Amino acid sequence: MMKTSIYGLTFKELTDWLVERGEQKFRAEQVWDWLYKKRITSFDQMKNVNKSCITLLDEHFFIKTLTEEIVQESSDGTMKFLFKLADGNLIETVLMRFNYGLSVCVTTQVGCNIGCSFCASGLLTKSRDLTAGEIVEQIMHVQMHLDKRAKEERVSHIVVIGIGEPLDNFDNVMNFLYVVNEDRGLNIGARHITVSTSGLAHKIYDFADTDIQVNLAVSIHAPNNDLRTRIMKINRAFPLEKLMPSIKYYLQKRNRRITYEYIMLHDVNDKEEHARELSTLLADHRHLAYVNLIPYNSVDEHDQYRRSETATIQKFHETLKKRGIASGVRWEQGADIDAACGQLRSKQMKKAE
Ligand code: SAH
Ligand code: SF4
């Protein structure tokens, strides 16, 4: 019998699982309270749960599967965790501090198969998907780390923007979202959660059809197919004429603002004409579009790229603004601790080679 992580089960799944085995319904409430409110780390700490139920849970589930390998804290309070999974693979999780709360960036796959030409994660092809439990545990681990500091800080936001393509691990990511959103658990509001995709159009339709109102971000990075294919080879499979209709479908169903991520690469996609072309691409839903301009973080292996000049980024932003498209610049946090996507992990992997 294979044990799995209990964090991977939604409240309903755990209730059904317990009831099928002759336990009463309220046991699931007790177990969830111990797991997510009291945040215990072994089943025998569940004081009001009967022994037979504890044995049953212990036989089938793990609570902790991640081992903390490295924690780095930056001068701005950003924290980066490197975890070892039960099978020895390494993943990373980042905690960022904003004026609106604490946001955790989670990893969804070990590596990534999309292979964007600017990304450190894409250098390492995917070796497997993370389970829902492993994704939830990243949040739990960070929250427990905060609990130890006795400042009563709470993870209030989640960005699914770490290593991996979340929509390529759809079911596990959905279970993760349901677990963290559940009000008797961590109770992180759907509107405080953002999922970022490289643009798997067929999965954007599925995502729009789910019943959880989390935010969507699309990594657009270029305003036309030629350039986008150069930067992200996934554009061959899902060119703009496939991607944009899936986004329109999402907007029709949700009527929620969508974020477009745009990595600023010097002399590649940062010219005035690109800003104009981008504003045309988004014109028909400009009231629901927000462009996040991301200064490129250099990755040793991608020496063909450089970060755009600050003045160029500013000009790009102004051009979008003049054409009615809202945008902002996302200056990275934790620059002194390799907090960009995949960087800590790829350094560790290199050391290990
Ligand atoms: N796979 C999903 C989500 C994770 S990657 C997606 O592509 O949307 C998400 C983001 O990581 C990219 O959009 C980009 O914002 C950021 N990123 C990756 N490599 C980067 C780099 N070298 N510099 C700055 N940001 C980077
Ligand atoms: Fe994968 Fe996202 Fe990196 Fe592209 S940017 S390689 S989709 S993690």
Side-chain angles (χ1 to χ4, degrees), residues 175-186:
N175 247 41
F176 156 72
L177 296 173
Y178 288 121
V179 170
V180 294
N181 179 237
E182 174 70 49
D183 53 9
R184 65 187 86 231
L186 290 172

Side-chain angles (χ1 to χ4, degrees), residues 298-351:
S298 65
V299 174
D300 295 346
E301 292 79 354
H302 298 316
D303 54 6
Q304 77 267 41
Y305 294 131
R306 277 194 295 132
R307 170 182 290 204
S308 302
E309 311 268 333
T310 306
T312 312
I313 300 177
Q314 192 55 34
K315 199 161 164 228
F316 201 96
H317 164 76
E318 293 296 330
T319 306
L320 291 176
K321 190 169 161 192
K322 265 189 242 143
R323 301 177 137 247
I325 307 283
S327 69
V329 184
R330 186 171 84 200
W331 292 107
E332 77 268 62
Q333 293 199 340
D336 50 333
I337 58 162
D338 300 320
C341 186
Q343 288 189 9
L344 183 66
R345 175 174 179 266
S346 66
K347 277 198 186 161
Q348 280 309 110
M349 304 278 285
K350 269 185 256 159
K351 271 193 223 158

Side-chain angles (χ1 to χ4, degrees), residues 112 118-120 160-162 164-166 196-198 219 221 261 263 294-297 299 330 340-341 343:
C112 182
F118 54 83
C119 173
V160 185
I161 200 174
E165 168 48 54
S196 173
T197 177
S198 58
S219 294
H221 303 319
E261 288 169 274
I263 191 158
I294 305 162
Y296 168 67
N297 238 315
V299 174
R330 186 171 84 200
C341 186
Q343 288 189 9

Side-chain angles (χ1 to χ4, degrees), residues 169-230:
N169 184 13
F170 195 88
D171 294 342
N172 290 328
V173 168
M174 286 316 299
N175 247 41
F176 156 72
L177 296 173
Y178 288 121
V179 170
V180 294
N181 179 237
E182 174 70 49
D183 53 9
R184 65 187 86 231
L186 290 172
N187 194 19
I188 298 175
R191 299 191 165 193
H192 287 184
I193 304 175
T194 302
V195 171
S196 173
T197 177
S198 58
L200 306 187
H202 60 310
K203 296 289 182 183
I204 294 177
Y205 288 102
D206 294 344
F207 187 72
D209 286 337
T210 62
D211 56 1
I212 184 165
Q213 300 286 323
V214 303
N215 303 305
L216 183 65
V218 175
S219 294
I220 194 94
H221 303 319
N224 61 57
N225 280 329
D226 281 353
L227 194 51
R228 195 161 188 268
T229 303
R230 224 175 97 196

Side-chain angles (χ1 to χ4, degrees), residues 272-287 315-326:
E272 171 98 24
E273 73 206 55
H274 298 130
R276 273 191 258 122
E277 209 177 350
L278 182 63
S279 66
T280 306
L281 184 71
L282 310 182
D284 63 1
H285 59 285
R286 63 162 72 93
H287 59 296
K315 199 161 164 228
F316 201 96
H317 164 76
E318 293 296 330
T319 306
L320 291 176
K321 190 169 161 192
K322 265 189 242 143
R323 301 177 137 247
I325 307 283

